[in-house]
Every structure is written in C-alpha cells, then in structure tokens.
Amino acid sequence: MVLTNSDFRFIVTEQLAAVGIDPSAILIEPAGRNTAPAVLAAALWQAKTDADALMLVAPSDHEIPDAAAFRAAVAAGVPAAFEGRLVTFGIKPNRAETGYGYLELAENPTDFEARPLALTRFVEKPDSVRAEEMLAAGNYLWNAGIFLFTAKAIIAAFESHAPDLIAPVTAAVDKGKPDLGFLRLDPDAWNGAEDVSIDYAVMERAENLSVVPFSAEWSDLGGWDAVWRESGPDANGVATHGAATAIECENSLLRSEDEGLEIVGLGVQNLIAIAMPDAVLVADVSRAQDVKQAVTALKSKGARQATAFPKDHRPWGWFESLVIGDRFQVKRIHVHPGAALSLQSHHHRSEHWIVVEGTAKVTVDDDVKLVSENESVYIPLGAKHRMENPGKVPMVLIEVQTGSYLGEDDIIRFEDVYARQ
C-alpha cells in the first residue's frame, strides 16, 4: 500500500510497475498532514479487510543496501508485533549526526543483534555536542521512522493517545472516492486532521513499545548531505552527477538534473550545488537540512518553482514546459505506447503540434489522421481534439500554445479512457 500526494501518483504507479509490484491500494492525500494521519489512514484501510494483519510502515526516501539484513531485523520484530506491541527500528549510529532524532535504550545493546529491546524515550534532533555525548554513551540509536505493528494495535494506540485524529481520518477514508487505480481521501474530512507526526502523536506516549536495532548500512535520503554521502565521494570528498564538473574542489556535491545544463565547480569547498531545469540550489554543506527555508522563501515571493514540478506526470505519460511567455507556451509531450489523451477543447488557446519521435493519431473535430515525425497539425481555438500513440514505441511531440490564458484548468473533457472529470 502506498500513500502519496496527488502530484506523485503516476510516478508511483510507473515505478511500481517497473519492479513488478501490483499494489493493494494507493491512497491519495489531499494535503500533507504529516505522518500520524497518514499511518492512521493506512491502518483504517487495512482493518477493513484484516485488522490482525501486520503493517510495516516505511518512508520512501531510505537507502538500505543490505536487504537481507533488513528482512532479518523485521522478522525479529514480528513476534512482538503479533503480541500487540508497537515495534520501531533503531539504526546503530556511526557518527554524531544532528539531522536525526534518537532512541534512548534502557540498556547498551553491545552487539546490536536484531532483537526487541526496551525503549526509554525518544530524543529530538540534538546539537553537535549532545550528539557526540550520545554516540559515546552507546545506548542510543538513530530513529529510522520505520515501524511494525498490527492494524488493530496502532488503531488502539491512536484511540488512547491521539483520539482527536480518529473521527476526521476515519471520515476521510470512508468518504474517499476511487479515481483510476487510486483512492482519493475526502479533502474536507482530511483537512480537519491535525498536522502531527506519528512520533509525537503516539510513539512518545505509548507504553507498549519495543525497539529492534539495525546495524547494517542505512541512510535517510531526506537531505542533500545524505545524497552526497551515498553518491560515493572521491578522495577529495567530491561527488558529481549528470552534466557536472568539479575542478580543484573539496567536500562538495555537484549535481545536474538536466542533461542540457552543465554545472561547473571551481575551487569550492563544503558546497552543495544542485541544478534543476527550473531552479538552482547553492548551499553550504552544513545547511543541507535547511532546504525547507528555501522553499518557504520561494513561496513567499510567489515563485512557481516552489509548488510546480518541471515534469508533470499523467496516466498517459508526461509533459514539461520548455518556454513560457505572456501569451505563448512551448511544451514537450511524451506519450506512452498505446496511451491516449482525453478528447478535449479549450476556451482560451489554440495549439500547434509537431511530432518529433514516433507517430501520433490525431483527432481534430471530425478529422482523424496519422501524423509522423517532422509533420505537424494545427488545433484551432475551441476545436475538439485528441492525440493518441498507436505505436509500440514512445511518441514525443512539441506543442506550441498561444492564447490569452494557458493554464491547465482550461480543459473541457468530452471523453477520457482514464475516467477523469
């Protein structure tokens, strides 16, 4: 089961299909409300079919290279979870990390063998001095934010420690509406749930907790400093990715996420530089955990990069904006083999399509024809139109929009194979 934001839903389905997983459910959160409402929604959904089922709750941004060791740690926690305990997993620390919360154990685990241990308390992210003290003490683990419990056990914990979440999240699940292969949680009910983490709402208050140590390699990729470490820095501490070049640099991460955008570092130290198609981040390594401040600053100035992705994924493929002007926009559109966009029209714009890869089947009002590479077609304002990929390879076209309004909400759908309204 996957819980995700609406913007990621098609990326999730493509990635699941790529690794051969058919999910039992994909729940769409109307808004981010932190981990407590998300975990409760998953438990309530699972309880509809089997309240005794075990749930392994795992964030999506973790790197765990030794899958066998992780499975062994999970297996070690299964008996305690079946007994009704809430099992959390703690990572053996290998440095005085200030970016993670910690778990204080009642005893020093010494060998860090995977077995349920007693938890004394949760510890918030420490400063560097306190982190060094905890590392030396030996009875602290990093809080991985990975949990194991039965659906009924975690629901009972919410009823005891966070009862105010029960009504809105239950209503959000019960009133959820199917959309393609997803379940969209009811937005009105969901917005009534408190924005709170599972640690604060339940785990820090529960008494039936067990901790399983995990001593193999693990990384939380939630910060660029973690990405730098996992990218395999060279002897000078430099890691690069994509169209990136480092010249006489030290302890730095240089990444280009656009093959047409070169990033060059010259004589820099302790620097993180990330070049995206629509924005560039430059930060000191010590500020890697503070990227949220950059997003907040962009939102305050109304920058679209704070809320919009360079690529917009859809059930039929994806598109990206290449150039945006006052009355025109140029897009690249990628359509999967056999996929089709909806039959639609626009009030405020006309479009010109140029096929650059593959072959498109194009409908314009009553006219249907095949358009091959290096051919184009014009879509007048108000015309009903659709593009399809009838072939077995991806179809790519360049779309030029002109008009007084170019927003994605200027779409009137008449037919849609994906049942979108």
Side-chain angles (χ1 to χ4, degrees):
M1 185 192 309
V2 178
L3 283 89
T4 187
N5 181 278
S6 183
D7 290 334
F8 293 108
R9 64 195 188 280
F10 300 122
I11 300 175
V12 166
T13 55
E14 288 181 9
Q15 291 181 347
L16 288 171
V19 293
I21 293 177
D22 182 15
S24 62
I26 299 177
L27 308 185
I28 305 298
E29 297 177 280
R33 309 302 291 171
N34 215 314
T35 52
V39 171
L40 179 56
L44 291 169
W45 179 259
Q46 177 59 50
K48 288 177 179 289
T49 55
D50 185 1
D52 293 315
L54 281 181
M55 298 176 58
L56 178 67
V57 177
S60 64
D61 57 352
H62 290 187
E63 171 73 10
I64 305 176
D66 193 340
F70 179 66
R71 293 190 186 103
V74 173
V78 165
F82 272 132
E83 292 172 1
R85 301 191 67 78
L86 309 180
V87 179
T88 184
F89 295 85
I91 310 301
K92 178 184 178 181
N94 56 19
R95 63 183 183 277
E97 176 62 56
T98 60
Y100 304 149
Y102 285 71
L103 304 171
E104 182 182 359
L105 302 178
E107 59 182 290
N108 190 318
T110 59
D111 58 3
F112 289 90
E113 180 184 350
R115 64 195 186 280
L117 299 173
L119 173 66
T120 299
R121 65 186 178 109
F122 285 75
V123 181
E124 295 296 324
K125 295 178 181 180
D127 58 26
S128 57
V129 174
R130 182 61 181 141
E132 292 284 359
E133 293 173 350
M134 290 191 291
L135 180 64
N139 64 321
Y140 289 87
L141 304 174
W142 289 336
N143 181 6
I146 302 175
F147 307 102
L148 180 70
F149 35 64
T150 62
K152 68 180 181 183
I154 191 62
I155 293 172
F158 274 97
E159 291 172 342
S160 298
H161 306 295
D164 291 345
L165 286 174
I166 297 292
V169 177
T170 299
V173 173
D174 290 344
K175 296 179 181 178
K177 295 182 178 180
D179 178 6
L180 301 179
F182 314 108
L183 178 75
R184 287 187 176 272
L185 301 176
D186 181 75
D188 293 335
W190 186 256
N191 290 333
E194 181 184 0
D195 186 332
V196 60
S197 72
I198 184 70
D199 284 353
Y200 183 79
V202 174
M203 296 301 172
E204 293 179 8
R205 309 177 188 190
E207 297 178 353
N208 58 331
L209 289 172
S210 293
V211 182
V212 174
F214 182 69
S215 58
E217 187 177 348
W218 170 91
S219 178
D220 174 0
L221 298 179
W224 285 114
D225 52 341
V227 174
W228 168 67
R229 285 191 295 270
E230 292 301 314
S231 298
D234 62 18
N236 294 318
V238 176
T240 61
H241 172 82
T245 302
I247 303 172
E248 298 178 5
C249 298
E250 297 180 3
N251 302 322
S252 296
L253 171 65
L254 306 177
R255 286 180 67 97
S256 174
E257 302 293 341
D258 186 333
E259 62 183 17
L261 182 60
E262 290 282 345
I263 180 170
V264 180
L266 180 59
V268 299
Q269 298 180 353
N270 305 317
L271 189 75
I272 292 173
I274 314 297
M276 299 291 290
D278 60 344
V280 177
L281 171 71
V282 180
D284 189 274
V285 168
S286 65
R287 302 297 300 275
Q289 296 287 332
D290 299 330
V291 174
K292 287 183 179 180
Q293 295 182 21
V295 178
T296 300
L298 290 176
K299 286 182 177 179
S300 67
K301 64 185 291 186
R304 64 183 299 274
Q305 288 87 340
T307 55
F309 296 106
K311 285 185 178 180
D312 195 325
H313 288 258
R314 297 298 172 91
W316 44 260
W318 52 264
F319 69 83
E320 61 181 338
S321 294
L322 303 178
V323 181
I324 301 177
D326 291 337
R327 291 182 59 87
F328 75 93
Q329 180 172 203
V330 180
K331 290 182 178 180
R332 173 163 56 180
I333 300 177
H334 177 111
V335 184
H336 297 319
L341 281 67
S342 60
L343 181 66
Q344 59 186 255
S345 68
H346 309 293
H347 283 306
H348 303 287
R349 69 174 185 255
S350 59
E351 297 172 343
H352 197 137
W353 297 342
I354 304 98
V355 177
V356 293
E357 292 182 26
T359 297
K361 180 181 178 182
V362 175
T363 299
V364 181
D365 289 327
D366 296 327
D367 184 24
V368 180
K369 63 180 178 179
L370 294 178
V371 181
S372 300
E373 290 182 9
N374 204 32
E375 295 180 343
S376 64
V377 62
Y378 174 66
I379 315 298
L381 178 71
K384 290 183 180 180
H385 60 280
R386 174 172 21 216
M387 72 175 77
E388 305 171 56
N389 182 358
K392 298 185 181 298
V393 296
M395 184 266 288
V396 180
L397 59 82
I398 302 300
E399 177 182 86
V400 181
Q401 303 176 352
T402 57
S404 58
Y405 179 74
L406 306 174
E408 286 302 310
D409 54 350
D410 181 23
I411 295 178
I412 305 165
R413 287 193 174 96
F414 301 95
E415 295 176 8
D416 185 42
V417 296
Y418 308 106
R420 292 171 295 175
Q421 296 181 353

